[in-house]
Amino acid sequence: MDLWFSERHTPNVKFSIRVDRQLYCGQSEFQRIDVFESKEFGRFLTLDGYMMLTEKDEFIYHEMITHVPMAVHPTVRKVLVIGAGDGGVIRELTRYPSIDHIDLVEIDPLVLEVCRKYLPQTSCRLDDERVHIRFEDGLKYIRTRENEYDLIIVDSTDPFGPGEGLFTKEFYGNCFKALRDDGIMVNQHESPFYEEDAAAMQRAHKRIVDSFPISRVYQAHIPTYPSGHWLFGFASKQYHPVHDLQAVTWNLLGLSTRYYTTRLHTGAFALPAYVEELLRDVE
Amino acid sequence: MDLWFSERHTPNVKFSIRVDRQLYCGQSEFQRIDVFESKEFGRFLTLDGYMMLTEKDEFIYHEMITHVPMAVHPTVRKVLVIGAGDGGVIRELTRYPSIDHIDLVEIDPLVLEVCRKYLPQTSCRLDDERVHIRFEDGLKYIRTRENEYDLIIVDSTDPFGPGEGLFTKEFYGNCFKALRDDGIMVNQHESPFYEEDAAAMQRAHKRIVDSFPISRVYQAHIPTYPSGHWLFGFASKQYHPVHDLQAVTWNLLGLSTRYYTTRLHTGAFALPAYVEELLRDVE
């Protein structure tokens, strides 16, 4: 079967995956949702035609957005996750016995339903009793919260479409307010490589820097995202992502990981010169 | 113009670049050589249809294969570069006043000729008086050298076709012999992500580990190579790539770089857990 899914990473760059078959295709109030089966990447989820995750490399994204803050903050108990209807972040968070409450705020119920059915690899822990699912717009939900969370993970789509509001100054300011005095916010931060992604990354960084006293960016290799060079933002009221890393404590938890290590944690904050410059330009 | 260059990263994954026009197409004794002009990446060079370099991201590869060993070895004077007919490694090496002799051994004269004409961005320093170009098979050249070089950079193509011999145990053993007592060899080490590349990476690593007392692997984000996650091998008789990093000395040189920094140097050796495991399996 010669069936290919393609995504334009820019108008002039295309990444294509050979597909065995389409498992699901649907349209929600917010977006088009597709799930495909492929030989190279296993199953993969797209929203409005944009790659969200593949079974082969989702561990990289989910480990890096979860374990980096968890290895810095010594006592995370209450977590807010925005977006993330696929459940990958929840799967990683529920591995920590110290966490006793997770609010998952996802705007689109159909994403969750589709992932429960077709992507058990990521959605497998959505029924954990500590997880409280709310189908709401994260932008609105966060407005009313105050001094409540130890950690907020913003697992948004791109800064256009349904995820747009999750890249605004108002949203980051409200996240700051919703966090406790030693809270941390982590978000997916786009890529530095292609021009348009880099501009989105700079805009987001500027707004976070304006809202949080500590704001650092870290990177990972995510082969199915544009350029494969992906960034995350670490914003914090008190803890420094590298100086306050609790490496011994985290390793004593005995969590087995495939990408994250506490050594890589520190390395991930060492950015290429051109990325440092892009960030400095807006700080 | 809807003209696309595509490379199969695996039989099931394709990376495509929109092309403005083909600048050159030729066949040498060894391989097919093409140069294209594109909006997204500027000019790019392919050998037998495989991406070698683009003007947009070649700085990453060339900085990382050159400055990492140069920032560790305090007194590199004589260097051997194998492959690298595009001149990118030479451009970076000639920035060091301490280097007084560079042997460039390239098997294919036509690659050099084409790069001189169409890729001045990388070939610009091939006429430096310290550079001695030899059109020979690197595998044969190295057999006769002994205790001669401070640094050998193996800028090979992939481990099939003309570059195949540059991934053998015999070759690495001869590199060891050709190096001085505190010499370093650096090579491009393929990618850990797709199965076939990972196997090639493991084979190369095993052979290097067998030949050198110190052998470490480091990584970079190279968007136009398969998966974007590329590895380099650092093999050495004496210097450790991280513990012996001469950060202050290197920074005093005042070289301006776009990817490499001495902070990133250390970070680049912090590999993902699954890559560490792949390497450990063959150590």
Side-chain angles (χ1 to χ4, degrees):
Chain A
M1 171 57 71
D2 206 36
L3 178 65
W4 292 80
F5 162 82
S6 290
E7 181 178 339
R8 295 278 170 114
H9 286 177
T10 82
N12 305 306
V13 180
K14 204 162 58 180
F15 182 70
S16 309
I17 298 175
R18 188 195 293 275
V19 167
D20 281 343
R21 62 191 179 119
Q22 187 175 32
L23 295 174
Y24 176 83
C25 173
Q27 177 76 39
S28 75
E29 187 187 339
F30 303 99
Q31 54 209 336
R32 175 171 166 166
I33 305 169
D34 291 89
V35 181
F36 299 94
E37 176 88 47
S38 74
K39 189 166 185 298
E40 194 67 49
F41 293 99
R43 294 182 174 190
F44 63 93
L45 168 72
T46 65
L47 297 180
D48 285 338
Y50 292 99
M51 176 63 77
M52 291 297 120
L53 67 88
T54 82
E55 286 185 330
K56 185 179 167 86
D57 71 346
E58 58 84 9
F59 70 100
I60 303 171
Y61 180 89
H62 291 127
E63 288 186 10
M64 289 301 280
I65 205 168
T66 306
H67 301 310
V68 168
M70 288 302 297
V72 170
H73 192 309
T75 51
V76 171
R77 294 181 57 197
K78 188 163 184 182
V79 186
L80 169 63
V81 183
I82 294 179
D86 56 73
V89 170
I90 299 298
R91 180 192 64 204
E92 295 304 311
L93 284 172
T94 53
R95 301 172 72 189
Y96 291 87
S98 61
I99 292 177
D100 54 31
H101 188 106
I102 303 170
D103 286 317
L104 169 59
V105 178
E106 163 63 56
I107 200 169
D108 192 342
L110 191 57
V111 168
L112 215 101
E113 192 187 320
V114 170
C115 292
R116 271 191 201 273
K117 183 157 180 195
Y118 295 103
L119 294 165
Q121 181 178 309
T122 52
S123 61
C124 53
R125 300 304 299 275
L126 284 170
D127 293 325
D128 188 289
E129 58 183 12
R130 294 168 291 173
V131 177
H132 305 266
I133 301 172
R134 299 157 185 274
F135 295 115
E136 282 182 55
D137 183 349
L139 183 62
K140 285 184 192 155
Y141 174 83
I142 197 78
R143 284 185 189 137
T144 60
R145 320 314 297 184
E146 205 165 323
N147 191 29
E148 184 173 344
Y149 296 102
D150 301 306
L151 172 61
I152 297 175
I153 296 181
V154 187
D155 183 8
S156 65
T157 51
D158 295 301
F160 44 81
E164 202 171 336
L166 305 181
F167 287 82
T168 57
K169 193 162 162 48
E170 185 217 337
F171 175 70
Y172 297 131
N174 284 331
C175 284
F176 183 88
K177 189 168 57 68
L179 284 169
R180 291 187 178 137
D181 285 348
D182 58 353
I184 298 172
M185 178 187 84
V186 169
N187 70 315
Q188 79 86 353
H189 212 72
E190 301 290 304
S191 164
F193 189 69
Y194 295 119
E195 202 176 339
E196 212 175 301
D197 299 335
M201 180 272 279
Q202 284 185 301
R203 272 195 304 274
H205 187 63
K206 179 164 179 35
R207 290 167 187 164
I208 296 173
V209 166
D210 287 345
S211 305
F212 283 83
I214 296 167
S215 171
R216 291 287 183 280
V217 170
Y218 61 102
Q219 64 191 354
H221 289 89
I222 305 184
T224 55
Y225 282 1
S227 87
H229 189 176
W230 212 255
L231 302 177
F232 299 90
F234 179 106
S236 162
K237 292 191 178 187
Q238 200 182 103
Y239 298 118
H240 187 281
V242 177
H243 307 154
D244 292 317
L245 167 62
Q246 312 276 324
V248 175
T249 309
W250 191 86
N251 284 303
L252 282 172
L253 292 173
L255 300 178
S256 140
T257 47
R258 292 170 60 206
Y259 194 88
Y260 180 81
T261 71
T262 48
R263 211 164 80 82
L264 179 128
H265 179 119
T266 304
F269 284 90
L271 303 174
Y274 85 96
V275 181
E276 280 185 345
E277 199 180 316
L278 285 171
L279 295 172
R280 248 195 328 264
D281 282 351
V282 296
E283 278 175 0
Chain B
M1 171 56 75
D2 206 35
L3 178 66
W4 292 80
F5 162 83
S6 290
E7 181 178 340
R8 294 278 170 117
H9 286 176
T10 82
N12 306 305
V13 181
K14 206 162 57 179
F15 182 72
S16 309
I17 298 176
R18 188 194 293 274
V19 166
D20 279 343
R21 63 191 178 120
Q22 187 174 35
L23 295 174
Y24 176 83
C25 172
Q27 177 77 40
S28 76
E29 186 187 340
F30 303 98
Q31 55 208 337
R32 175 170 166 168
I33 304 168
D34 292 89
V35 181
F36 298 94
E37 176 89 47
S38 74
K39 188 166 186 299
E40 193 68 47
F41 294 99
R43 294 182 174 190
F44 63 94
L45 168 73
T46 66
L47 297 179
D48 285 339
Y50 292 99
M51 177 61 77
M52 291 297 120
L53 69 87
T54 81
E55 287 184 330
K56 184 179 169 82
D57 71 347
E58 58 83 11
F59 70 100
I60 303 172
Y61 180 91
H62 291 127
E63 288 186 11
M64 288 302 280
I65 205 167
T66 305
H67 301 309
V68 169
M70 289 302 296
V72 170
H73 192 309
T75 51
V76 171
R77 295 182 54 198
K78 189 165 184 181
V79 185
L80 170 61
V81 182
I82 295 179
D86 56 72
V89 171
I90 300 297
R91 179 193 63 203
E92 295 304 313
L93 284 171
T94 52
R95 300 172 73 189
Y96 291 87
S98 61
I99 293 176
D100 54 32
H101 188 106
I102 303 170
D103 286 319
L104 169 60
V105 178
E106 162 65 55
I107 201 169
D108 192 342
L110 191 55
V111 168
L112 215 99
E113 193 186 320
V114 169
C115 292
R116 272 190 200 275
K117 183 156 179 197
Y118 295 102
L119 293 164
Q121 181 178 309
T122 52
S123 61
C124 53
R125 301 302 299 273
L126 285 168
D127 292 326
D128 187 289
E129 57 183 11
R130 294 168 291 173
V131 177
H132 305 266
I133 300 170
R134 299 156 185 276
F135 295 113
E136 281 184 56
D137 182 350
L139 182 63
K140 287 184 189 152
Y141 174 83
I142 197 81
R143 283 185 188 134
T144 60
R145 320 313 297 184
E146 206 165 323
N147 190 28
E148 187 174 340
Y149 296 103
D150 301 305
L151 172 62
I152 298 177
I153 295 181
V154 188
D155 182 9
S156 64
T157 51
D158 296 302
F160 45 80
E164 201 170 337
L166 305 181
F167 286 83
T168 59
K169 194 163 162 49
E170 185 217 337
F171 175 71
Y172 296 131
N174 284 331
C175 284
F176 183 88
K177 189 167 59 63
L179 284 169
R180 292 188 177 134
D181 287 346
D182 59 352
I184 298 172
M185 177 186 84
V186 169
N187 70 317
Q188 79 87 350
H189 212 71
E190 300 292 303
S191 166
F193 188 70
Y194 295 119
E195 203 178 338
E196 211 175 301
D197 299 335
M201 181 271 279
Q202 284 185 300
R203 274 195 303 276
H205 188 62
K206 182 169 176 34
R207 290 167 187 164
I208 297 173
V209 166
D210 288 345
S211 305
F212 283 82
I214 296 167
S215 171
R216 291 286 183 283
V217 170
Y218 61 103
Q219 64 192 353
H221 288 91
I222 306 185
T224 55
Y225 283 0
S227 87
H229 189 176
W230 213 254
L231 302 178
F232 299 89
F234 179 105
S236 162
K237 293 190 177 188
Q238 201 182 100
Y239 299 117
H240 187 281
V242 176
H243 307 154
D244 293 319
L245 168 61
Q246 313 276 324
V248 175
T249 309
W250 191 86
N251 284 304
L252 281 173
L253 291 172
L255 299 178
S256 140
T257 47
R258 290 171 60 205
Y259 193 88
Y260 179 83
T261 71
T262 48
R263 211 165 81 83
L264 181 129
H265 178 120
T266 304
F269 284 90
L271 303 174
Y274 85 97
V275 182
E276 280 185 346
E277 199 182 316
L278 286 170
L279 296 171
R280 250 195 327 265
D281 283 351
V282 297
E283 277 175 3

